[in-house]
Amino acid sequence: MEKIRVGLIGCGGRQGAHIDALMKMDDVAIVALAEPVDERREAAAKKTGARAYKTHKELYDNENKGTLDALFISIEPTAHTDTETRAIDMGIPFMVEKPMTLDLEQADMIARRVKETGLITAVGFQDRYLDLMDMIKDELPKHPKGGLVNGAWIGGIPGVWWWQKRSTCGGQLVEQNIHLADGLRYLFGEPLSVYAVSSRGIVKPGVNASPEYDTDDYSVCIYRFKDNVTATLESACYVAGARPNSGLVIKLRDMVIDYRLRNNLIMSTDRSTTDVRRGNDQTYDLDVAFIRAVRTGDPSGIRSPYDDALKTLKMTFAANESMETGKVIHF
Ligand SMILES: NC(=O)c1ccc[n+]([C@@H]2O[C@H](COP(=O)([O-])OP(=O)(O)OC[C@H]3O[C@@H](n4cnc5c(N)ncnc54)[C@H](O)[C@@H]3O)[C@@H](O)[C@H]2O)c1
């Protein structure tokens, strides 16, 4: 079987997980990469044996559909320029990490062009590929509809420089808790409205964060969905330690489904309790789904193509708007 030839744009932390996943696949070869930071570029080139370029522009100037079958784009949220449109121009399918940009006009334009060209795309909403998420999706229709959902992503400040500034990360909801916002959409459909509040002052810039820190310490959203589903979604980065109590708790009339972020799933009724551990590597399965779609031309295994992911991005931007204006935002 001919190998799918992959190019990488960005060789930072998250791309490392994609490199590891792709290197486990017999039918994939990483053949080109672009990364401006010398040590990262050199380390990734050494690990993969790929042709190395300093920027995505150099990569696109030297590679084309004859040398690349697919691209993995994993760069800072504000670094998206012509990184996607040049792939679209060349007809090269791409997987891009969430949040795909902080510029919604740019995202709309990319989604439109992807639709016009029919290009295969995937966005890095890894949680959609979790076996635990499949179990929740199977379980929900067996119960009366409606009830409360409590979502939370609680922890500390991630290490990357751009995370500490709201202008470069979009806020914790847009950058990080977008995974659980996407989980809500995946499970309950499109939101009807959102109201959100946020707070700062617990984290001290220059004391327990970088001097540039100006993002929210926490925020709370209330998303309403059809069928009497209302979800709270908490994001907090002022808590030291790893993700205590993060996940989704779904309170149905006859069952409580307690999804502990990427770890386990507890389902309780008044008669029984089951507790299942995560059994798959969801990033690997996301990457397999994308590569399979590229090979076969059939995108049906991709759970989050660009246009769908854009709806989740807009869902988080609407919450930011509510935080800023104090108003309920209707979708
Ligand atoms: N799906 C997930 O679970 C998940 C997890 C972590 C991060 N992410 C997302 O992945 C993206 C990258 O995050 P990260 O933590 O790896 O950041 P990072 O800062 O570690 O890496 C980004 C890299 O992109 C490089 N880069 C920037 N512009 C470039 C360009 N034009 N051409 C080539 N390289 C370029 C930077 O030099 C940097 O090394 C972000 O959007 C983040 O939100 C997703």
Side-chain angles (χ1 to χ4, degrees):
M1 194 183 342
E2 292 223 349
K3 294 200 183 218
I4 297 289
R5 298 158 303 174
V6 168
L8 310 174
I9 296 182
C11 296
R14 178 59 180 161
Q15 195 75 286
H18 292 299
I19 292 174
D20 289 345
L22 292 166
M23 288 184 74
K24 285 185 196 148
M25 298 177 206
D26 293 335
D27 62 341
V28 171
I30 300 172
V31 298
L33 57 84
E35 166 59 58
V37 177
D38 293 344
E39 311 85 75
R40 291 182 172 187
R41 183 179 61 257
E42 284 157 19
K46 193 168 171 212
K47 184 167 180 176
T48 61
R51 299 180 285 279
Y53 304 100
K54 284 196 173 172
T55 68
H56 74 281
K57 288 186 192 295
E58 258 186 47
L59 180 142
Y60 283 123
D61 288 345
N62 288 282
E63 306 284 340
N64 55 49
K65 222 184 163 184
T67 59
L68 290 180
D69 301 307
L71 279 159
F72 278 66
I73 305 170
S74 185
I75 56 182
E76 299 94 297
T78 50
H80 298 269
T81 52
D82 54 358
T83 31
E84 290 79 16
T85 48
R86 288 193 74 176
I88 298 170
D89 291 342
M90 290 182 176
I92 304 174
F94 62 85
M95 195 299 311
V96 60
E97 271 302 343
K98 45 48 63 182
M100 307 88 81
T101 172
L102 300 186
D103 177 346
L104 289 184
E105 274 182 32
Q106 183 190 29
D108 276 330
M109 178 272 290
I110 292 170
R112 195 176 59 247
R113 293 216 46 214
V114 163
K115 192 171 176 204
E116 282 163 8
T117 54
L119 193 72
I120 289 173
T121 57
V123 175
F125 283 118
Q126 51 163 303
D127 301 58
R128 287 195 178 209
Y129 299 83
L130 279 167
D131 57 353
L132 302 180
M133 203 49 83
D134 286 343
M135 287 174 211
I136 302 174
K137 245 190 166 338
D138 286 347
E139 192 63 33
L140 283 176
K142 299 177 192 162
H143 301 272
K145 287 182 174 161
L148 290 167
V149 183
N150 304 123
W153 193 301
I154 312 290
I157 301 169
V160 285
W161 66 266
W162 47 267
W163 207 93
Q164 310 225 3
K165 285 178 67 65
R166 204 163 191 270
S167 58
T168 46
C169 79
Q172 187 180 5
L173 176 66
V174 167
E175 198 287 327
Q176 192 175 53
N177 211 351
I178 193 168
H179 285 293
L180 289 177
D182 186 64
L184 292 174
R185 268 194 68 237
Y186 192 48
L187 296 170
F188 302 109
E190 301 307 326
L192 305 173
S193 66
V194 62
Y195 175 69
V197 295
S198 62
S199 189
R200 296 179 193 183
I202 303 172
V203 176
K204 308 286 182 215
V207 179
N208 35 30
S210 86
E212 291 189 309
Y213 177 93
D214 68 356
T215 194
D216 303 319
D217 300 340
Y218 67 74
S219 68
V220 187
C221 310
I222 303 174
Y223 284 105
R224 303 216 64 177
F225 295 85
K226 66 178 188 322
D227 299 325
N228 297 310
V229 173
T230 299
T232 57
L233 191 57
E234 299 174 3
S235 310
C237 66
Y238 67 88
V239 181
R243 300 175 183 170
N245 307 111
S246 296
L248 293 174
V249 184
I250 304 167
K251 294 157 182 175
L252 303 169
R253 196 148 65 80
D254 55 0
M255 175 178 268
V256 174
I257 299 176
D258 183 352
Y259 160 60
R260 309 266 171 107
L261 193 66
R262 297 174 187 165
N263 192 62
N264 64 317
L265 179 67
I266 304 167
M267 296 201 269
S268 316
T269 67
D270 55 358
R271 277 167 289 123
S272 69
T273 298
T274 60
D275 186 349
V276 184
R277 292 217 147 255
R278 175 172 64 85
N280 71 324
D281 175 344
Q282 67 276 8
T283 292
Y284 179 79
D285 288 348
L286 152 70
D287 292 353
V288 165
F290 173 63
I291 293 293
R292 190 171 293 149
V294 171
R295 180 175 291 290
T296 62
D298 171 9
S300 58
I302 294 174
R303 297 187 176 189
S304 186
Y306 198 97
D307 61 339
D308 187 88
L310 179 52
K311 291 181 186 165
T312 298
L313 189 63
K314 288 184 175 176
M315 175 182 178
T316 59
F317 268 78
N320 274 2
E321 187 185 339
S322 178
M323 289 174 213
E324 282 149 23
T325 61
K327 292 187 175 149
V328 177
I329 308 297
H330 296 273
F331 293 94

